[in-house]
Amino acid sequence: MQVLAILGAGGHGKVAADCAELSGWQEIHFYDDAWPEKSSVEHWPVHGNSRRLLARVGDYDAAFVAIGDGKRRKGKSDELKQCGFNLASLVHPSAVVSRYATLGEGSMVVGGAVINAFAHLGNGCVINTGATVGHDCVLGFGVHVAPGANIAGHVVIGDYSWIGIGAKIIQDIRVGADVTIGAGATVITHLPQGVTVVGTPARPSVRHQ
Ligand SMILES: CC(=O)SCCNC(=O)CCNC(=O)[C@H](O)C(C)(C)COP(=O)(O)OP(=O)(O)OC[C@H]1O[C@@H](n2cnc3c(N)ncnc32)[C@H](O)[C@@H]1OP(=O)(O)O
């Protein structure tokens, strides 16, 4: 029996469990640092917090970190690896991942997403529902491409950047690390590290009083 531990019993964890079951994992055990207050998620019991999980490396074929924040996801993934866990990558059966693409460990590709030929994704990336990643793209660690976002060919995206729901990035664009692209934005210029952009064409977000 193939048993997977999922750390993070929130909405992202539920999607991960669904992807895992549909892709052949036979048993899912959740862990969450809100345990014991949080004792279950839907019909899945929560078996402990991350400290408990670290002590149970021999009980699992692999672990998956389902924490939305990319930096926390990376931190917890590193801890698990150092303790000897294999990190699973999860691909929903309705997603299409080119045989010529590479997907880093601890990543998840959700239903209806497409990753095209010669795209290379770092560890801990999330390609969410119906998102597309074009040919020859390079995504760093912990990049989240939210549902329905589209990334054209030859785009480079730095570590931990967040591509908002329904956003578009045209071809050959370079997006720095820690960038946030707002929902529905259209990115047509290179973006420096740490910026938040919104709108079409995407511009730095400014709050008006
Ligand atoms: C399965 C899942 O659920 S995955 C989750 C998917 N969710 C997402 O992708 C969410 C993406 N997040 C957003 O779009 C957010 O609005 C953010 C990150 C852009 C907000 O960034 P902030 O810098 O905090 O923006 P803030 O809220 O201060 O707004 C600043 C200005 O930008 C505007 N703004 C914010 N978001 C957007 C947007 N997506 N498009 C256009 N304008 C926007 C605001 O209206 C405001 O303008 P105003 O002062 O004239 O009203």
Side-chain angles (χ1 to χ4, degrees):
M1 164 129 41
Q2 290 279 300
V3 189
L4 176 70
I6 295 180
L7 179 59
H12 194 50
K14 292 195 262 187
V15 174
D18 187 37
C19 280
E21 288 182 352
L22 288 169
S23 56
W25 288 92
Q26 289 153 316
E27 197 167 320
I28 307 293
H29 288 185
F30 271 99
Y31 287 79
D32 195 292
D33 284 339
W35 179 88
E37 289 74 26
K38 188 175 186 68
S39 59
S40 65
V41 49
E42 304 298 348
H43 59 283
W44 294 282
V46 175
H47 291 252
N49 55 16
S50 52
R51 188 179 297 185
R52 280 200 166 205
L53 174 57
L54 290 170
R56 294 178 179 174
V57 60
D59 294 354
Y60 294 105
D61 296 286
F64 181 82
V65 180
I67 294 175
D69 179 77
K71 285 184 181 163
R72 288 191 55 223
R73 189 159 70 242
K74 171 84 162 65
K76 291 291 184 187
S77 299
D78 287 350
E79 272 184 56
L80 291 169
K81 272 206 91 171
Q82 279 159 17
C83 280
F85 278 93
N86 298 314
L87 292 184
S89 285
L90 302 175
V91 179
H92 191 282
S94 71
V96 177
V97 180
S98 164
R99 75 180 80 173
Y100 300 115
T102 57
L103 192 60
E105 63 185 10
S107 293
M108 176 159 73
V109 186
V110 183
V114 178
I115 300 177
N116 249 322
F118 303 99
H120 298 294
L121 279 61
N123 296 347
C125 287
V126 179
I127 310 303
N128 222 317
T129 316
T132 63
V133 178
H135 62 86
D136 300 292
C137 285
V138 178
L139 275 54
F141 291 125
V143 172
H144 187 138
V145 184
N150 302 122
I151 302 173
H154 286 284
V155 172
V156 177
I157 302 180
D159 297 344
Y160 311 117
S161 285
W162 174 284
I163 317 306
I165 191 163
K168 318 278 179 209
I169 306 178
I170 67 166
Q171 70 280 1
D172 300 319
I173 289 293
R174 301 180 82 83
V175 174
D178 297 310
V179 166
T180 301
I181 297 174
T186 307
V187 177
I188 60 169
T189 55
H190 303 313
L191 297 177
Q193 177 170 354
V195 71
T196 296
V197 295
V198 297
T200 298
R203 307 255 191 243
S205 145
V206 178
R207 180 167 292 193
H208 303 98
Q209 294 307 317

